[in-house]
Amino acid sequence: METNYEFSLKCKSDYLELSHEISKLRRNGDKVPKALLVNALTAGGLAGVPDDELNVLLSDLKKQ
């Protein structure tokens, strides 16, 4: 059974991986898929990422 701590670490890890992928796409000038943004937002919310950091991710979602 997974503990809250393990779940939190998994969410943080998922968020970091997804945000890294988003950063790579933005750096290359590619469009960021909506599903990738939603997954990162979900993982970030579960991991307790501050709202201001999540809003940076949402900037692309709001433009679509």
Side-chain angles (χ1 to χ4, degrees):
M1 185 170 162
E2 195 172 45
T3 66
N4 285 343
Y5 178 74
E6 290 169 332
F7 178 74
S8 178
L9 285 179
K10 172 141 180 39
C11 290
K12 288 176 185 177
S13 176
D14 290 347
Y15 171 75
L16 288 173
E17 288 177 22
L18 292 166
S19 63
H20 178 68
E21 183 64 30
I22 291 168
S23 295
K24 287 192 315 187
L25 290 169
R26 287 179 176 165
R27 187 174 47 246
N28 291 334
D30 297 329
K31 184 176 179 182
V32 178
K34 186 176 182 177
L36 183 60
L37 292 169
V38 171
N39 288 340
L41 176 64
T42 302
L46 291 171
V49 174
D51 287 343
D52 57 335
E53 187 174 332
L54 293 176
N55 286 334
V56 172
L57 288 178
L58 287 178
S59 63
D60 280 353
L61 187 59
K62 293 175 183 177
K63 293 176 190 175
Q64 295 179 3

